[in-house]
Amino acid sequence: MNETPPELQRFVEAAREQVIAPTHVTADAVLAGLERHRDRTQARRTITLSAAIALAASLITVSLLWPMLSARDASPPRDPAGHAGHAGHATGHAAGQAGGITNVDAPEHQAASLDLDSAVSLRTNTQVEVRGPWSLALGEGVHELEVQATPGQALRVSLPGLELELAEGNATIEVVQSSAAVKLHNGVAAWIGEDGQRTVLNVEHVDLQAPSATELAREAERLLAAGKPDKAVAVLRRLVAAYPKASQTRTGLLDLARLLRNSTRKDEARCAYELYLQRWPGSAVDGEVRAALARLGPGRACRGLDPR
Amino acid sequence: MAVANPHAADEQPAAATGAAAGATVHALPQRDMQGLVARARRHDPAAQRQLFELHKTRVCAQVQRMTGDPATVDDLVQEVFIAAFANLDKFRGDSQLHTWLYRIVVNKARNWWDSEQRRRRRELRASQVPAQSPNTPHDQLEACEHREQLYAALGELSPKLREAFVARVVEGMSLLEASEALEVPVSTVSYRTRRAEELLCQALGVAGFPTPGRRS
């Protein structure tokens, strides 16, 4: 298995042959160090708690004093004759109501900051980036768009890896990781190619931009690095289903099995290992995979990646 | 001295490294090990001592192979076990205890490598090797030089590449074991190891891979 270049191997052997000196660390020393560590941790907690209490006390004090302070600040300045003056303008402002945008998760916060044309209506369950009255970028989630026909205008929608133009009508767009599915219920829409060429969508047209095996593998790796193993599992399952024989699937299936096992989904982990053995019999890691299966113990039979 | 794969079996004695360290390591059945961990979690000093004695040889060897510096082993071994016992409640038991300990070793070694002061000391030591060992037999001296050069080159790699290389090539872990120990995908371990080998070959001025894409 080790195919290190022979010349480099000499250096590696030198490292491996280094005599491992016995450690002088004793259990007593470790336990004493542990005790000191606990004391330090406890001291830090005490300091943090004290600071938090002090902060809370300050906040309470400020909140109690605030009405008095603000009342004093709000008192109108007196003119030389002793009369109270008046503020010259109102503090309120009229926020322009542009673009009908509803975020089903945070409707109030979203609507205030967005600035789409009033002919565009967007219902979404996630964050969107409005780039202008007729331009927006959609992130992961489900988005329902409605555009009223406006002469000379069309809504430009940026999706992962592609651009869509919606001149009028209703469309539902689902973005999952690096792919987007667009369903045009009615109206006129087109994909915009990199060269600016337009490909008109049919009504009820579904165009799934399937990511490649490499993209899925990278996405899974990114999610893992971001500490999102559950999402990585979903992407890896998709990789295994979409590209059963790809080289990325070969390693991805092993990662999937490990992640499932670590999240105590043992039956699913077993299925992943078994599927690996079915698809790549006699591989270099055959023995290790069988050992991992043996450690998982017996369980339910599998159909593909899922236990029956 | 041939070094066996220390991750081959569950909580097995680290025989190869144990011989060097002169420590006896006893294997425990899985259930006993779980009981021991549970007691150590409850701050039972006897259980903590037993865990320390069971794993110290392996950890000691891993630290030395990761850093290449025997002088730093004691400090890091102590740090590793203190961190382990202080965080034992975070050990979920979904991997072997030695794999979990290995991750702590990796983190401690990473901190060690990150220390510029120690790196400078390492470079100084590397430049002094021949003068320090005038009576060493030729092949031993050569091995010593190779080792120093390798670790000096390893110090120039990014932590991720270095850790993959040490796990796979120096420790001799399989792809799956390294993936488990480093908590990265199998393909990533493979890529990083190969990239590390390429960079090390360049740094050491030795021939690299004669044909591309050989590692499975």
Side-chain angles (χ1 to χ4, degrees), chain A residues 23-198:
Chain A
T23 178
H24 300 102
V25 179
T26 61
D28 286 337
V30 170
L31 294 184
L34 181 62
E35 200 58 42
R36 284 194 298 275
H37 173 84
R38 284 197 188 122
D39 289 346
R40 280 197 302 272
T41 309
Q42 188 59 42
R44 271 201 298 270
R45 277 190 194 139
T46 307
I47 291 168
T48 310
L49 189 62
S50 306
I53 290 170
L55 182 65
S58 307
L59 288 172
I60 290 168
T61 308
V62 168
S63 65
L64 289 174
L65 293 175
W66 187 253
M68 284 189 285
L69 291 170
S70 56
R72 200 174 66 177
D73 288 348
S75 301
R78 293 184 175 275
D79 59 24
H83 301 296
H86 296 280
H89 58 272
T91 54
H93 67 277
Q97 184 60 44
I101 296 178
T102 307
N103 186 301
V104 295
D105 290 336
E108 292 173 3
H109 301 294
Q110 285 295 309
S113 60
L114 298 173
D115 190 24
L116 276 176
D117 191 274
S118 59
V120 179
S121 169
L122 168 65
R123 183 179 166 79
T124 181
N125 63 358
T126 184
Q127 298 259 335
V128 298
E129 179 194 347
V130 176
R131 295 174 172 172
W134 290 92
S135 175
L136 54 82
L138 300 181
E140 199 166 294
V142 179
H143 317 274
E144 291 173 19
L145 268 171
E146 183 176 357
V147 177
Q148 292 170 13
T150 306
Q153 296 289 0
L155 179 68
R156 187 75 171 243
V157 184
S158 291
L159 301 168
L162 68 159
E163 294 279 321
L164 177 74
E165 194 175 77
L166 182 59
E168 65 169 302
N170 292 315
T172 302
I173 302 172
E174 185 176 5
V175 181
V176 180
Q177 271 107 39
S178 55
S179 69
V182 177
K183 185 178 280 189
L184 181 63
H185 305 296
N186 56 63
V188 180
W191 294 121
I192 316 265
E194 285 182 1
D195 53 357
Q197 196 168 349
R198 284 165 169 70

Side-chain angles (χ1 to χ4, degrees), chain B residues 86-102:
Chain B
N87 295 286
L88 206 52
D89 52 342
K90 292 178 189 162
F91 173 59
R92 295 168 301 174
D94 52 24
S95 60
Q96 301 294 327
L97 183 65
H98 65 70
T99 307
W100 186 72
L101 280 173
Y102 186 82

Side-chain angles (χ1 to χ4, degrees), chain B residues 167-185:
Chain B
R168 284 279 284 135
V169 181
V170 182
E171 289 281 353
M173 289 188 201
S174 72
L175 269 177
L176 284 186
E177 288 164 346
S179 162
E180 176 88 34
L182 300 173
E183 288 190 299
V184 293

Side-chain angles (χ1 to χ4, degrees), chain A residues 3-4 7 10-11 14 16 18-20 22-25 27-29 31 38 221 255 258 261-262 288 295, chain B residues 3 20-21 43 48-49 64 74 78 94 143 146-147 149 170 174 176 179-180 184-186 188 197 214:
Chain A
E3 298 179 31
T4 305
E7 288 196 46
R10 283 188 292 126
F11 290 84
R16 298 179 77 176
Q18 185 179 26
V19 174
I20 307 293
T23 178
H24 300 102
V25 179
D28 286 337
L31 294 184
R38 284 197 188 122
E221 187 175 341
D255 295 325
R258 175 173 62 88
R261 192 197 63 209
N262 288 354
E288 280 186 75
R295 281 198 294 273
Chain B
V3 178
H43 310 304
Q48 289 171 334
R49 279 173 203 277
Q64 188 163 329
D74 281 354
Q78 183 156 357
D94 52 24
H146 281 161
R147 188 162 54 240
Q149 287 168 359
V170 182
S174 72
L176 284 186
S179 162
E180 176 88 34
V184 293
V186 170
T188 307
E197 286 175 342
R214 293 170 305 124

Side-chain angles (χ1 to χ4, degrees), chain B residues 180-200:
Chain B
E180 176 88 34
L182 300 173
E183 288 190 299
V184 293
V186 170
S187 56
T188 307
V189 175
S190 180
Y191 163 76
R192 286 179 185 170
T193 309
R194 190 172 174 80
R195 182 72 186 132
E197 286 175 342
E198 286 170 0
L199 293 174
L200 287 173

Side-chain angles (χ1 to χ4, degrees), chain A residues 252-267:
Chain A
L253 199 46
L254 294 172
D255 295 325
L256 177 61
R258 175 173 62 88
L259 292 173
L260 289 168
R261 192 197 63 209
N262 288 354
S263 55
T264 64
R265 292 155 71 176
K266 291 193 174 180
D267 280 332

